[in-house]
Amino acid sequence: MFNSKQKTSQTKSAPSAASSITQEANARVLSQLPFEQKEDFENAKRGFIGTITHKTIKNEHGDVIWDLGAYDFLSSATAPPTVNPSLWRQAQLNCNHGLFKVTDRIYQVRGLDLSNMTIIEGDTGLIIIDPLTTLETAHAALDLYYKHFPKKPVQAVIYTHSHTDHYGGVKGVVSEDDVTSGKIPILAPEGFLENAISENVFAGNAMSRRALYMYGMILPKSVQGQVDAGLGKTVSLGTVTLIPPTDTIHQTGEKRTIDGVKMEFQLAQDTEAPSEMLIYFPQFRALCAAEDMTHNLHNIYTLRGAEVRDPVSWWKAINQAIENFGSRTDVVFAQHHWPTWDQKNVLNFFEKQRDMYKYLHDQAMRLINNGYTMLEVAEMIQLPESLAKAWYNRGYYGSVNHNVKGIYQKYLGFYSSNPADLHPLPPEAASQKYVEYMGGPEKVMQKARESFNAGEYRWVAQVMNHVVFAHPDLQAARELQAAALEQLGYQCENPTWRNEYLMGALELRHGVPQVPTTKTDSPDVVKAMPIDMYFDFMGIRLNGPKAAGKSITENIHFSDVKKDYALQLKNSALTYTPNKKFAHPDATITLTRAIMDAITLGATTFEHEIEFGAIQIKGNRDKVFEVLSCLDTFEPSFNIVTP
């Protein structure tokens, strides 16, 4: 399972136990929060109908891609010393799984993936909202509904927003043929396809690697490992699919009636996702909040990496929902977690979620304008008690700390304005200097062990990172940093922070894992990518130094879709112009879009398709291959906690 990239010999070592300092820190949490409140546990079970027979879901090859049985250890009422009691509570709530009735004709399948699938009963069939992350879990979710109700056909699919866990399972509930023929519509908010693809392809390799840390997908499921992901248990490891939408919601106030079900839409662009919408069902007095209002503080900045989200757009979207739907909503459900019932509770939920994002934004900006830097602002802000003690505002996904840093980044970027931070040495070079100035690795480690025994785990993790980057072969240094990261993880209320710390510790002890992950840049995503975006991604892959001094022009003709592009490599940049042909190109390439997709996905090669005639080149072939030779192939398992 593990294949270390470091030169050092790896000795397998077990995770550490919770120190006495960590145990005391976790025990204090019990007196700080209202654990006597049990309403969430009642609501998470409310409307339960049934669940899957076995706790696992497998793919067509028999591989387990979802395993709820791995979380059986969470049945204990008391949190173990290695898990923050608040996180233990959320992890237990997210263990509820199966088919649930929300209100008349609205059902949800929860706990079969990171997200929920909502099923609306129309007059003759079903409307599916957000078909989970992967084909296999979506298919299992629909089968679970059919186990308890007549097998009515799916009449429509709705994507609430552009994140993978809300569209990736679409081929588990409908066929592409039925969609392209017009039989089954797919609705999505404006900008859905562009944002779904750009986030998962342009930075997809880096995000997929970082997501291993954030979700802890390969951590052991245990009291010393992964217990939850905040929004749900974790991400399923099946097949990500995508069928492009056939109908788009362009503005707030648009309405649709599908199979007798009336819907009113509110766009919520640039909130939790750059393309997102809420859906109100007037017949049922129910609101689908997409992912803008869930039972946790969400991410303004996400640890896997993405563009910083706009807290101003977010609080305003919630406020608009209050104005549009608050007085006529008896139940609000989201595409994660459990619903909130009764108008008074719904309004209280809306208002406190709105005020939370408004508070974080305004207080961050107040301190920024008083001259405080990103790290200082993040240490200074805490939610007021009126917001912090609402369980649905706890930092189980986003945290106050990293969200405030995201707000700073959004407005001011990376630079603190202190010139010492303007052009610092990169980590490996800086670490060598730090350790040299401190008297060498042994002296640093001696002092770090004293700090560890004093419970100064944040400092130990920070200072030992320098030793590891300066001396990556020194296993004792890696073990000490791993131990500090584990204690930090054990104390975390936020499961994504816990996963980050414990994944770092795991890789310090065992090396970089070589394991399969859910591929967000799946065949369906590549196939749905507009050709312009394909060439954008080609430009991202271009190795600028390799391309230095080259000047090459190509005409590219896609014979199946009848599109032409003029591609130019010049000044170490790859540019393109649609609907243009160079008068005297170095080469002209003719191919189909399908062949381009197959090459991108690794199913074939450019050379192979030239040899068999699927790609024709007129002009200088060597120039074509010269461009291709300058494109990088990204390594999916790059180092993070070691140089």
Side-chain angles (χ1 to χ4, degrees):
M1 179 177 177
F2 291 94
N3 178 18
S4 174
K5 294 185 174 185
Q6 291 81 29
K7 296 177 182 177
T8 181
S9 61
Q10 297 294 326
T11 57
K12 290 190 176 182
S13 55
S16 54
S19 68
S20 59
I21 293 170
T22 291
Q23 293 183 49
E24 291 167 5
N26 283 342
R28 286 195 294 272
V29 174
L30 292 171
S31 62
Q32 295 168 348
L33 293 170
F35 284 90
E36 71 281 359
Q37 294 178 5
K38 300 298 181 183
E39 186 179 5
D40 283 338
F41 287 91
E42 296 165 4
N43 285 343
K45 292 180 170 65
R46 180 170 169 174
F48 176 73
I49 295 170
T51 191
I52 55 178
T53 304
H54 303 288
K55 292 185 176 181
T56 59
I57 298 172
K58 298 179 180 180
N59 63 17
E60 61 181 353
H61 305 296
D63 304 316
V64 174
I65 58 97
W66 187 252
D67 185 3
L68 288 166
Y71 294 100
D72 286 347
F73 68 90
L74 284 162
S75 59
S76 171
T78 304
T82 53
V83 184
N84 182 297
S86 178
L87 170 55
W88 189 257
R89 177 187 184 276
Q90 182 79 348
Q92 288 183 317
L93 286 163
N94 282 335
C95 276
N96 288 285
H97 57 87
L99 177 66
F100 298 81
K101 182 176 180 179
V102 176
T103 190
D104 289 345
R105 294 171 64 175
I106 300 179
Y107 299 84
Q108 285 191 310
V109 178
R110 303 199 285 267
L112 299 195
D113 209 317
L114 182 72
S115 51
N116 300 336
M117 187 166 89
T118 300
I119 302 171
I120 314 291
E121 292 181 341
D123 291 345
T124 63
L126 308 176
I127 300 165
I128 305 292
I129 303 177
D130 290 359
L132 306 183
T133 311
T134 58
L135 178 155
E136 294 86 355
T137 55
H139 184 74
L142 187 57
D143 276 353
L144 176 59
Y145 173 85
Y146 286 144
K147 179 180 176 182
H148 296 277
F149 295 98
K151 197 169 184 178
K152 294 181 179 179
V154 174
Q155 300 285 27
V157 174
I158 300 175
Y159 303 143
T160 62
H161 61 290
S162 51
H163 290 153
T164 310
D165 53 324
H166 299 269
Y167 66 77
V170 63
K171 288 189 177 178
V173 297
V174 294
S175 74
E176 190 164 16
D177 287 344
D178 282 345
V179 175
T180 55
S181 70
K183 180 180 177 182
I184 298 177
I186 296 182
L187 279 72
E190 186 172 50
F192 168 86
L193 195 60
E194 178 184 0
N195 286 295
I197 292 170
S198 63
E199 183 166 299
N200 291 312
V201 176
F202 286 2
N205 188 68
M207 283 188 185
S208 294
R209 174 74 172 110
R210 291 165 60 119
L212 278 179
Y213 271 59
M214 178 173 169
Y215 292 108
M217 289 177 282
I218 64 169
L219 286 172
K221 309 299 186 285
S222 71
V223 298
Q224 290 177 300
Q226 200 260 6
V227 299
D228 203 62
L231 289 176
K233 301 317 298 175
T234 188
V235 179
S236 61
L237 293 172
T239 307
V240 174
T241 62
L242 173 61
I243 303 175
T246 61
D247 188 9
T248 299
I249 302 302
H250 295 283
Q251 60 186 6
T252 292
E254 286 192 48
K255 298 179 180 180
R256 298 286 190 278
T257 299
I258 299 176
D259 198 25
V261 176
K262 297 177 181 178
M263 291 172 264
E264 300 175 20
F265 295 90
Q266 177 191 322
L267 283 185
Q269 307 291 59
D270 299 315
T271 55
E272 187 271 337
S275 173
E276 189 148 358
M277 64 185 183
L278 282 57
I279 313 165
Y280 181 70
F281 299 90
Q283 293 152 290
F284 316 125
R285 293 180 60 86
L287 176 67
C288 173
E291 203 169 321
D292 275 349
M293 290 167 276
T294 54
H295 287 267
N296 54 230
L297 167 58
H298 213 295
N299 284 317
I300 293 170
Y301 170 78
T302 177
L303 301 180
R304 65 179 166 83
E307 292 185 17
V308 175
R309 296 157 187 176
D310 186 356
V312 174
S313 295
W314 205 324
W315 81 257
K316 287 184 177 181
I318 299 175
N319 194 58
Q320 185 176 32
I322 293 172
E323 296 301 313
N324 290 349
F325 312 119
S327 64
R328 49 194 182 118
T329 297
D330 293 330
V331 59
V332 58
F333 60 92
Q335 297 309 110
H336 294 275
H337 301 137
W338 51 95
T340 297
W341 286 271
D342 301 324
Q343 190 179 69
K344 181 180 178 181
N345 293 333
V346 166
L347 285 172
N348 195 42
F349 173 52
F350 285 175
E351 289 171 357
K352 287 193 174 182
Q353 288 255 300
R354 175 198 64 191
D355 294 348
M356 172 176 62
Y357 295 111
K358 184 75 162 64
Y359 181 89
L360 291 178
H361 173 268
D362 291 357
Q363 295 309 304
M365 296 310 299
R366 177 180 65 83
L367 292 172
I368 286 168
N369 281 307
N370 273 299
Y372 292 102
T373 63
M374 180 179 73
L375 297 181
E376 291 169 331
V377 171
E379 291 296 310
M380 294 170 74
I381 293 181
Q382 296 294 329
L383 290 176
E385 186 171 313
S386 60
L387 296 176
K389 287 201 171 180
W391 285 110
Y392 46 70
N393 282 355
R394 300 303 299 175
Y396 299 124
Y397 199 54
S399 71
V400 170
N401 187 282
H402 78 254
N403 277 343
V404 165
K405 290 172 181 173
I407 294 168
Y408 185 100
Q409 177 189 330
K410 179 175 179 62
Y411 284 93
L412 296 181
F414 80 96
Y415 181 41
S416 68
S417 200
N418 182 337
D421 295 332
L422 183 58
H423 194 199
L425 291 172
E428 192 170 355
S431 294
Q432 290 168 356
K433 289 291 185 184
Y434 274 116
V435 174
E436 178 188 344
Y437 272 51
M438 292 174 183
E442 292 302 329
K443 286 190 176 180
V444 178
M445 290 169 63
Q446 180 182 348
K447 288 183 175 294
R449 289 190 183 99
E450 294 172 4
S451 295
F452 183 93
N453 292 334
E456 298 172 354
Y457 304 128
R458 287 173 65 185
W459 170 244
V460 175
Q462 187 175 343
V463 74
M464 289 311 301
N465 188 67
H466 290 309
V467 179
V468 169
F469 269 70
H471 299 274
D473 294 346
L474 191 57
Q475 185 64 23
R478 293 156 64 119
E479 293 285 346
L480 182 52
Q481 188 185 13
L485 293 177
E486 283 164 346
Q487 297 306 316
L488 290 170
Y490 296 161
Q491 292 182 31
C492 278
E493 179 183 39
N494 186 308
T496 65
W497 280 46
R498 176 186 173 94
N499 295 337
E500 293 275 338
Y501 285 133
L502 298 188
M503 271 298 302
L506 186 76
E507 292 192 4
L508 284 164
R509 294 186 189 280
H510 302 292
V512 178
Q514 303 292 315
V515 294
T517 61
T518 297
K519 285 186 66 63
T520 55
D521 55 342
S522 67
D524 282 345
V525 173
V526 170
K527 187 172 69 171
M529 187 170 18
I531 295 175
D532 284 27
M533 293 183 75
Y534 175 86
F535 286 124
D536 288 335
F537 187 55
M538 253 185 99
I540 291 168
R541 291 178 58 202
L542 183 77
N543 186 314
K546 276 188 181 179
K550 299 183 187 297
S551 181
I552 300 170
T553 56
E554 298 174 356
N555 288 336
I556 302 178
H557 175 66
F558 292 95
S559 56
D560 53 345
V561 294
K562 309 299 182 187
K563 289 190 175 182
D564 291 288
Y565 285 80
L567 190 72
Q568 179 172 251
L569 174 58
K570 190 175 183 179
N571 300 317
S572 295
L574 196 63
T575 58
Y576 64 91
T577 306
N579 306 314
K580 177 183 175 179
K581 295 181 182 180
F582 290 114
H584 303 287
D586 291 307
T588 296
I589 305 169
T590 301
L591 75 166
T592 64
R593 172 64 198 263
I595 289 295
M596 181 182 73
D597 290 343
I599 292 170
T600 303
L601 293 165
T604 185
T605 64
F606 203 84
E607 295 84 351
H608 178 84
E609 297 305 326
I610 291 173
E611 182 181 348
F612 284 88
I615 297 177
Q616 294 88 43
I617 298 178
K618 291 181 180 179
N620 191 336
R621 288 191 175 200
D622 291 342
K623 291 292 185 181
V624 174
F625 287 103
E626 201 172 338
V627 173
L628 294 175
S629 71
C630 293
L631 301 182
D632 277 356
T633 299
F634 297 129
E635 167 58 53
S637 298
F638 52 80
N639 289 353
I640 293 178
V641 290
T642 54

